[in-house]
Amino acid sequence: MGLVSNEQLAPVRAEANETGAGVVDLLLGKKIIKPIDVTRAKAAQFGAEVISLSDMRLADEVISAIPRHIAKRYKVVPIFRNNGSLTVALGDPSDLDTIDSLRHLLNQEIDIRVAPEDEIESALNRYYGASDDSVGKMIQDITEGEVEVGKVVSKGGEDDGSVVDADAPIIKLVNTIIVEAFKARASDIHLEPLSKTFRVRYRIDGLLHEMKSPPKRLQAAIISRLKIQSNMSIAERRIPQDGRIQMAVGGKTIDLRVSCLPTNHGESIVMRILDKEGLKLGLAELGFFTDDQQTFERLIGLPDGILLVTGPTGSGKTTTLYAVLNYINRPDRKIITVEDPVEYQLSGINQVQVSEAVGLSFAGALRAMLRQAPNVIMLGEIRDLETATIAINASLTGHLVFSTLHTNDAPSAVTRLIDIGVKPFLVASSTRALMAQRLVRRVCKRCASPYQPSDAELKSLNVDPNNLANATFQRGKGCPDCNKTGYRGRFGIFEVFVIDDEARKLIYDKVPSSVLRQRAREMGMRTLREDGARKVLAGMTSPEEVIRATILDAD
């Protein structure tokens, strides 16, 4: 192929004869050739076509042609089917044992294409899931064995697919799906009925990853099993339902908050995995740098006032508030929370569950709570004028109040409170600080390596290329520890706006949030993107993560 000259090859051959290493391995190690060159050479030798899997979108019915455990074991990816033959991509066309085994196992003719091994690994994770083979193997066993799913007839005489045998494979499958999600550090499990498939996805570090899907015929049984576990009515399929499941996994007890929603093709179930380990996080583990942490510790140590944490759904607001309560939870303080729902049980704290069904609203619970003489109040969310007014009045009468709001940045929280009807003078006099936050993925420590970001990335982060003497840019190459993503875990980036006398006057004068934001910047408030840029320079995350999670600063 003309990729290696005789001058380059002679010393490598000599070294190979001395050490017993392979010539090709040495050429790769010395970076004389690249892995893709070896792939092309092998393909040419066996007359096979080289393809790029990263440019292809494979259909579900093609992926289902090779069971997950076989695809993972032999490292092959099915590409398309044609008249009884199956075309697959593999990394080594000289591996005749693999090709013969596939023909025998699948009982059909196999056509070969060649793809780089890293693309095959990535495709296997994308289409079959990155966790181990337990779920895929169990689904395969159920499918091959044509297991008869146990049935229960509801009062209306209708079959609802419930499983009654305690040892039924469906029960084991459901438990395995949950256990594998927990092991993969997933925050949510999504079970979604589509027209022809029953899709299973795990949300890991904020991004959804598709797993091996169970056969569509098992949909009713799996959903009914989960509804039974979470104490929902299996006879009711027309309205949304909520429930909870508690399970022991590897000596730990985990809680799952289960939501069931009727859709066109069946009931969709989402399970939020509530891992209590997250509550033990200190403020540093949340992602605070020392200066912001000192400011925040001073704010949460105040005797009264209101402190609001803002951000969209899934930005970690609740985790931050729980970590704060954990930090200030001492025997000399009475802390009461009002939540919908109570996600975690905290020792030493009185937690109230809102229940609209029996008439216990946020506002009603908050009123009753004030007669319990608490020092600290945590309100799950400020949703309306009544709740906001009671919370602000509580902060003015000697209580420290924590709550959340759904706004894009910290100064916008003031505008939001005024928009829902709170008087500006109440907002100005009660609010001590506003904090916006987002979550970004942390670079995997095991496979992190230095790299140089592009000028466009530096410009987006508003970083001066001349001030990079102490910068440590890191990017994960991808390893088994992080499922080849280059990231493992998440942390927060923050925007902390401390309200001073001048800011109070601006709030009282009902200035637009842009003016308030400008004042906050003059006071030294870092925007979300600026805080993210600091953490990129420290090698904690990558520029694209910060750019994805934040909006460009107006100035």
Side-chain angles (χ1 to χ4, degrees), residues 185-203:
R185 302 178 298 103
S187 58
D188 305 277
I189 306 168
H190 294 250
L191 303 170
E192 302 159 312
L194 306 177
S195 57
K196 294 181 181 176
T197 58
F198 183 44
R199 184 163 66 175
V200 177
R201 295 192 287 177
Y202 295 165
R203 189 182 294 280

Side-chain angles (χ1 to χ4, degrees), residues 438-515:
R438 298 289 187 279
L439 289 176
V440 293
R441 292 185 291 171
R442 189 186 296 273
V443 170
C444 174
K445 292 177 182 176
R446 182 163 292 185
C447 63
S449 60
Y451 91 109
Q452 183 57 42
S454 66
D455 290 341
E457 288 174 328
L458 292 174
K459 186 177 179 183
S460 294
L461 294 174
N462 204 17
V463 173
D464 186 349
N466 300 317
N467 297 333
L468 299 179
N470 298 319
T472 312
F473 294 105
Q474 299 263 13
R475 171 165 281 161
K477 291 180 178 177
C479 66
D481 210 35
C482 60
N483 287 340
K484 306 288 183 185
T485 61
Y487 301 97
R488 183 178 172 88
R490 290 189 290 175
F491 65 91
I493 53 176
F494 304 96
E495 180 175 284
V496 184
F497 179 18
V498 181
I499 308 292
D500 65 355
D501 289 340
E502 189 176 336
R504 284 194 183 90
K505 185 176 184 306
L506 292 174
I507 294 170
Y508 187 76
D509 292 340
K510 293 178 70 172
V511 300
S513 60
S514 56
V515 176

Side-chain angles (χ1 to χ4, degrees), residues 3 236 250 294 341 361 452:
L3 295 170
E236 181 55 77
Q294 289 172 347
S361 63
Q452 183 57 42

Side-chain angles (χ1 to χ4, degrees), residues 155-166:
K155 289 177 184 174
E158 195 180 351
D159 162 29
D160 62 11
S162 305
V163 181
V164 290
D165 180 0

